[in-house]
Each structure stands twice: as structure tokens, then as C-alpha cells.
Amino acid sequence: GAEVIISGSNQPEELELGEDGFPGVLHQSTNRGPLESAVSLIQEAKNGPIVGGWGSNKHGADTKRIEKNLKDVVAVAATSSSFAAIGKEGSVTVWGNPKNGGDTSKVRKDLVNIDSLYTTCCAFAALQDGGKVITWGDKAAGGNSDRAKRFLKKGVRTVTGTDRAFAAITENGKKIVTR
């Protein structure tokens, strides 16, 4: 079957999918024991990639209310208790704990033409085509980038996150850190 890499908080785990598209053998690359947190699985379906979840509902496993938005997904990212998916047209769908990135109501209008997603423990940063960065989630973990907003309006090349802060590099080489 197809092989899917599921990224958690530390090391990725490999998941072998059976002929039916459901998980087969789990090869854990960490010593964490059983998979405890909610994880998402991207699988090929007849009408394109879809995303499904399992594990703790309060940590993002329940995708029922947003299932229709999880078709043609090209990327998925996770905080400690929420997920965000980029659709092939650049839209973003979120689910999970609203405090940790599962609520985009304050930035929803800006989440268009998204190329990539980055995370901290409890916040997301989305990089738009053109280099604008949009953040949401726990304000103390990078979800509020107001202090760096003037640097994040355009020209950002890349973003990375630690547990509770983001850093970005702009086209002109400036290094921006938000917390």
C-alpha cells in the first residue's frame, strides 16, 4: 500500500496503508509508546486526497463538521491540539482546539493563496504567495504577530517555529522573531 508520514511533536512516524486505505503497520521512530495524540491521515480517494482524523476529539480528531472542506488537501500542519489543512486552491481549513489554532475567525478573510503552514505548540503561521505572513492561535505562542506586522506584510521567504515563537527571513535578508 501507500506510505504516509505523520508528523508529531518530535520525530515523524511511518504508517503503512493497506489496500483498503486504512492504517496497517505503525513504525514508531520514538520511544513514546502508543500513539496518544490525534493525528491526521492523508489518503488517496477516488475524488482526490482527503483527510481523516482519529484519537482524542478535544485534540482535533473529530473532522465531521468540516469534512466537505477536506478534499483536495495538499498539506496538513498541527499544533498540540488543532490542525490546519491547505486546499489545492490555497484556502485553509482548521479544526480542533480553538485556543490553539482551531479558530480562524479573526484572520479568515486573509487566508487565501496560502503556500505553506508553520506551527508552534499552540499557533499557526500561514505564508501567502507573495510573502505575507498571517498568524492565529495562542497569542503567547506566536498567534499574535502585531509587533512584527510591518515586516510580515510581504517578501517573507521562510518561517520556522519553536515551541512558543516564530522566526522569519525576508527577501532582503532581515530576520524577524515574533513571540
Side-chain angles (χ1 to χ4, degrees):
E3 193 168 82
V4 175
I5 302 296
I6 300 174
S7 296
S9 59
N10 292 321
Q11 299 293 321
E13 294 137 0
E14 294 180 29
L15 181 65
E16 186 75 22
L17 295 182
E19 294 297 319
D20 58 1
F22 288 97
V25 180
L26 179 65
H27 307 284
Q28 289 186 319
S29 57
T30 66
N31 294 325
R32 288 188 294 177
L35 201 54
E36 296 173 0
S37 63
V39 293
S40 281
L41 166 67
I42 300 175
Q43 67 184 34
E44 275 304 310
K46 289 182 181 175
N47 58 351
I50 61 168
V51 175
W54 66 92
S56 168
N57 284 345
K58 72 179 185 178
H59 291 98
D62 185 5
T63 59
K64 287 182 182 134
R65 71 174 179 79
I66 44 92
E67 263 178 1
K68 67 183 180 305
N69 298 334
L70 296 178
K71 294 188 182 344
D72 295 322
V73 168
V74 297
V76 176
T79 65
S80 63
S81 60
S82 62
F83 292 93
I86 302 175
K88 72 178 180 180
E89 74 291 340
S91 64
V92 173
T93 300
V94 300
W95 67 100
N97 184 332
K99 294 177 184 175
N100 292 340
D103 176 15
T104 58
S105 59
K106 293 181 180 175
V107 296
R108 188 172 296 131
K109 66 179 176 9
D110 295 322
L111 292 174
V112 295
N113 301 317
I114 302 302
D115 285 335
S116 48
L117 294 167
Y118 305 90
T119 64
T120 63
C121 71
C122 310
F124 289 98
L127 183 58
Q128 272 183 339
D129 179 27
K132 180 179 178 180
V133 175
I134 299 101
T135 60
W136 71 95
D138 184 341
K139 292 177 182 180
N144 181 346
S145 57
D146 286 348
R147 290 186 355 195
K149 194 173 239 170
R150 66 185 175 152
F151 300 108
L152 302 176
K153 287 182 181 179
K154 65 178 182 174
V156 173
R157 284 191 309 197
T158 189
V159 177
T160 191
T162 65
D163 188 50
R164 302 193 71 72
F166 288 111
I169 298 177
T170 65
E171 288 174 347
N172 63 7
K174 287 188 180 184
K175 292 147 191 80
I176 311 301
V177 178
T178 65
R179 339 172 240 261

